[in-house]
Amino acid sequence: DTFDMTPNDPSYGQLYGMESINMPAAWDVTTGGADFRIAIIDSGTQLTHPDLAANIINNPLDPPNGLDDDGNGLIDDYRGWDFYDGDNNPDDQNGHGTHTAGTVGAVGNNGIGVAGVNWNCEIVALRVGNQYLDSQAIYNSVEYACEVGALVSNNSYGGGGYSQSFFDIIQVAGVQYNHVFCAA
């Protein structure tokens, strides 16, 4: 279709998936919304990445001042949270989370890198490990994502078999928060 939106990002042509899920036609309708929150529960997200920085959440309720201004028990969670190391630095340490964040929400049509499904969104960076993930960190991340208003979380990891605890947290997220838990 001649009306399909094709972004000017130089590496867009290397993204075989965007064409296969018909994103150019979808982008004619919407490129996302600046207030749509998506949690990336993974190895973290490179917070300064030039194609992601504009979409990384900035929590105005808990600015970086050494205090827990929003009263959620986490000091300075203004850019997400690292539930693996228990600090306010969810920066990616192996690249996987940054890659998935880019697929979900890299700024599109900005002449830089690639284009994500949502060119405009708020990415909540949540780190739950590196090569090995911590189950409790994942549970805490899902709960946090819901509490900060993320309607969707991307969980691009594999693991063991069925877990009743995992089922329960996903069920609560969906029923109580209308949260969509997307898994690899």
Side-chain angles (χ1 to χ4, degrees), residues 66-79:
L67 303 172
D68 179 17
D69 297 294
D70 59 7
N72 67 357
L74 307 174
I75 296 172
D76 296 344
D77 60 313
Y78 63 102
R79 305 280 285 173

Side-chain angles (χ1 to χ4, degrees), residues 37 39 41 57 59 61 68 70-74 77 81 83 124 126 139-153 169 172-174 176-179:
R37 269 187 200 167
I41 300 175
I57 189 175
N59 178 4
L61 300 176
D68 179 17
D70 59 7
N72 67 357
L74 307 174
D77 60 313
W81 194 257
F83 284 99
V124 180
L126 299 169
Y139 303 158
N140 293 344
S141 291
V142 173
E143 183 177 349
Y144 179 88
C146 291
E147 289 173 354
V148 299
L151 296 177
V152 175
S153 62
I169 197 116
V172 167
Q176 291 184 7
Y177 294 92
N178 274 343
H179 183 86

Side-chain angles (χ1 to χ4, degrees), residues 3-158:
F3 295 105
D4 288 353
M5 171 71 80
T6 302
N8 66 6
D9 305 275
S11 297
Y12 172 74
Q14 298 172 22
L15 302 176
Y16 70 90
M18 296 301 175
E19 295 286 335
S20 68
I21 62 172
N22 208 18
M23 282 314 301
W27 289 324
D28 286 344
V29 177
T30 185
T31 56
D35 59 348
F36 186 72
R37 269 187 200 167
I38 305 164
I40 305 297
I41 300 175
D42 210 299
S43 62
T45 300
Q46 184 184 349
L47 302 175
T48 59
H49 191 288
D51 233 2
L52 296 171
N55 284 343
I56 302 288
I57 189 175
N58 287 299
N59 178 4
L61 300 176
D62 201 357
N65 61 7
L67 303 172
D68 179 17
D69 297 294
D70 59 7
N72 67 357
L74 307 174
I75 296 172
D76 296 344
D77 60 313
Y78 63 102
R79 305 280 285 173
W81 194 257
D82 180 341
F83 284 99
Y84 187 73
D85 285 334
D87 60 39
N88 70 345
N89 183 12
D91 207 32
D92 198 350
Q93 296 184 14
N94 76 14
H96 188 268
T98 300
H99 176 81
T100 58
T103 301
V104 169
V107 176
N109 214 34
N110 64 349
I112 300 171
V114 298
V117 169
N118 300 282
W119 300 357
N120 303 296
C121 63
E122 285 186 325
I123 294 171
V124 180
L126 299 169
R127 183 170 174 266
V128 295
N130 286 327
Q131 296 299 322
Y132 300 100
L133 307 177
D134 181 81
S135 294
Q136 190 60 52
I138 294 170
Y139 303 158
N140 293 344
S141 291
V142 173
E143 183 177 349
Y144 179 88
C146 291
E147 289 173 354
V148 299
L151 296 177
V152 175
S153 62
N154 183 80
N155 299 267
S156 185
Y157 48 83

